[in-house]
Amino acid sequence: MSSVTTVLTRKPKNIAIETNPKHELHVVETKLPEPGPNDCLVHVRATGICGSDVHFWKIGAIGSSVIKHEQGLGHESAGVVIKTGPNVKSLKVGDRVALECGIPCSKPTCEHCRNGRYNACPDIIFYSSPPVPGTLRRYHVHPEAWLHRLPESISFEEGALLEPLSVALAGIDRSGLRLGDPLVICGAGPIGMVSLLAAHAAGSAPIVITDIDEHRLAKAKSLVPRLRTVQIQRDAEAKQNAEQIRQALGDVKRANERQASRFGGTVFIIGVGKDFQQIPFMHASFREIDIRFQFRYRETYPKAIMLVSEGLIDLKPLVTHRFTLEEGQAAFEAASNPDARAIKVQLLDD
């Protein structure tokens, strides 16, 4: 307790990383926040840079979510509780926690909160989604109800990775992937990698992953040795890429088809993309191909913590680059530069 008192008395710099409509990136000092009655003050020890953080910085918007002012980034975080509000009962100073950053209204009149689909709450706030500041900072106030206690076996780095793992687990659940189902993962970035780990744990087989970067494919193969990889060529026709994928799956019976999805298959889309995209509509219709999406996640953190603590999913190899908060500019450069060969960039604060 005395060390906590010292921290709060000294009021060290609360460093945060922000962007703005000019696509600038700033490492700034903000006020030390004070927890409300149902909140905890968290010393954020690890935060990962998400592709959406880079997108907000570089593009300034994701769909209808537009940066109009200075905007704090980050939503993949874990840390330690250093102060609690008077009504907090389930957590205490010193508890290690992962932060779930989508905070719904939780009102009994909200249909989505009431039926458990709180990710659809129309009044949800999501840290780092404009205009709500993110958790990429040293000290952050967070509602007790959306903090998840970490066992000692899970590090702060792994705790921060529970957020992208939650995205993957939500995708696995919503897609209906079952034991022995074949799977193709398009893209060996961070979400592709955690989806690979989750699908492997779920018993999907065979699994193929594609990417244009041979180094990312090699990294994916090191995570799951039974994985089959396909390097996609930028200038190749879709038919050629589909044929490579079918061969990797061992599906030689459909050699004359133009696409990789089988009859009755599912194309499941996770992540950020262009607002409008073209799809082979009639092919999907004639082949009964389901095209499905997801919006964030719900009730995934307890499952993610269990899977990591039980050793079914190993997140540790995903962190390839580490920086301090003061090195925020360099961290974002690494996360956005393919030559850096980063999978997950994290900012750590001791």
Side-chain angles (χ1 to χ4, degrees):
M1 181 64 77
S2 60
S3 61
V4 175
T5 302
T6 301
V7 168
L8 294 177
T9 300
R10 290 179 180 174
K11 294 187 178 179
K13 293 181 180 179
N14 188 18
I15 294 174
I17 298 175
E18 300 179 345
T19 189
N20 59 29
K22 297 180 180 179
H23 311 293
E24 298 169 326
L25 200 69
H26 297 141
V27 178
V28 301
E29 182 180 348
T30 65
K31 293 182 179 178
L32 184 70
E34 190 68 22
N38 301 303
D39 302 329
C40 294
L41 178 61
V42 178
H43 177 192
V44 181
R45 298 289 299 275
T47 300
I49 296 178
C50 177
S52 64
D53 294 318
V54 174
H55 203 84
F56 275 130
W57 168 39
K58 295 283 190 178
I59 308 300
I62 296 177
S64 60
S65 188
V66 180
I67 290 181
K68 299 179 180 179
H69 307 284
E70 291 290 331
Q71 174 65 43
L73 299 171
H75 55 266
E76 302 178 4
S77 295
V80 60
V81 174
I82 60 172
K83 192 173 184 180
T84 62
N87 295 341
V88 172
K89 304 298 182 186
S90 65
L91 293 168
K92 63 184 187 303
V93 170
D95 281 345
R96 304 163 66 257
V97 292
L99 286 63
E100 183 170 352
C101 286
I103 314 298
C105 72
S106 300
K107 295 176 182 177
T109 54
C110 177
E111 174 188 355
H112 301 292
C113 290
R114 190 172 62 248
N115 66 23
R117 299 184 65 138
Y118 62 80
N119 56 320
C121 171
D123 295 321
I124 195 170
I125 67 167
F126 194 88
Y127 291 109
S128 80
S129 181
V132 183
T135 60
L136 188 40
R137 57 188 60 236
R138 178 165 288 144
Y139 300 111
H140 167 76
V141 166
H142 205 80
E144 171 193 18
W146 302 98
L147 291 169
H148 301 271
R149 187 184 288 105
L150 295 174
E152 289 299 325
S153 60
I154 296 182
S155 67
F156 290 119
E157 291 186 12
E158 293 170 285
L161 283 165
L162 294 175
E163 201 280 339
L165 177 58
S166 283
V167 174
L169 293 180
I172 294 292
D173 183 57
R174 183 163 161 74
S175 68
L177 186 74
R178 298 175 299 177
L179 187 72
D181 280 349
L183 175 67
V184 177
I185 299 171
C186 298
I191 293 297
M193 295 285 193
V194 290
S195 297
L196 167 64
L197 293 173
H200 174 59
S204 173
I207 304 176
V208 173
I209 196 166
T210 72
D211 204 280
I212 59 174
D213 188 335
E214 61 179 335
H215 300 288
R216 288 198 167 194
L217 293 175
K219 178 69 173 181
K221 183 78 171 177
S222 71
L223 297 176
V224 179
R226 68 179 177 91
L227 178 67
R228 306 173 188 185
T229 63
V230 172
Q231 186 174 6
I232 298 296
Q233 304 301 318
R234 286 185 183 273
D235 55 352
E237 294 183 0
K239 183 178 179 180
Q240 292 175 278
N241 290 329
E243 184 176 349
Q244 287 190 79
I245 293 170
R246 289 195 303 272
Q247 289 177 354
L249 284 169
D251 191 352
V252 296
K253 296 180 180 179
R254 298 185 295 118
N256 293 324
E257 291 195 11
R258 292 182 63 248
Q259 309 295 339
S261 299
R262 67 185 181 186
F263 189 97
T266 300
V267 175
F268 197 86
I269 300 167
I270 303 175
V272 174
K274 296 179 181 178
D275 285 356
F276 296 94
Q277 301 196 38
Q278 292 182 329
I279 62 170
F281 183 88
M282 290 313 302
H283 174 83
S285 176
F286 287 169
R287 305 298 292 168
E288 290 190 1
I289 296 170
D290 294 333
I291 301 175
R292 308 192 69 186
F293 298 84
Q294 78 181 63
F295 182 62
R296 296 177 183 151
Y297 43 80
R298 66 179 191 275
E299 300 296 348
T300 50
Y301 268 77
K303 183 187 293 185
I305 290 170
M306 180 272 294
L307 289 169
V308 175
S309 63
E310 292 286 331
L312 292 172
I313 291 180
D314 183 8
L315 297 173
K316 290 187 286 292
L318 297 182
V319 182
T320 55
H321 293 63
R322 297 168 176 85
F323 296 87
T324 65
L325 286 172
E326 292 82 358
E327 297 171 325
Q329 181 75 42
F332 270 80
E333 293 291 349
S336 61
N337 183 1
D339 292 337
R341 297 181 182 175
I343 300 299
K344 179 55 67 175
V345 176
Q346 285 193 349
L347 292 102
L348 310 178
D349 191 66
D350 294 331

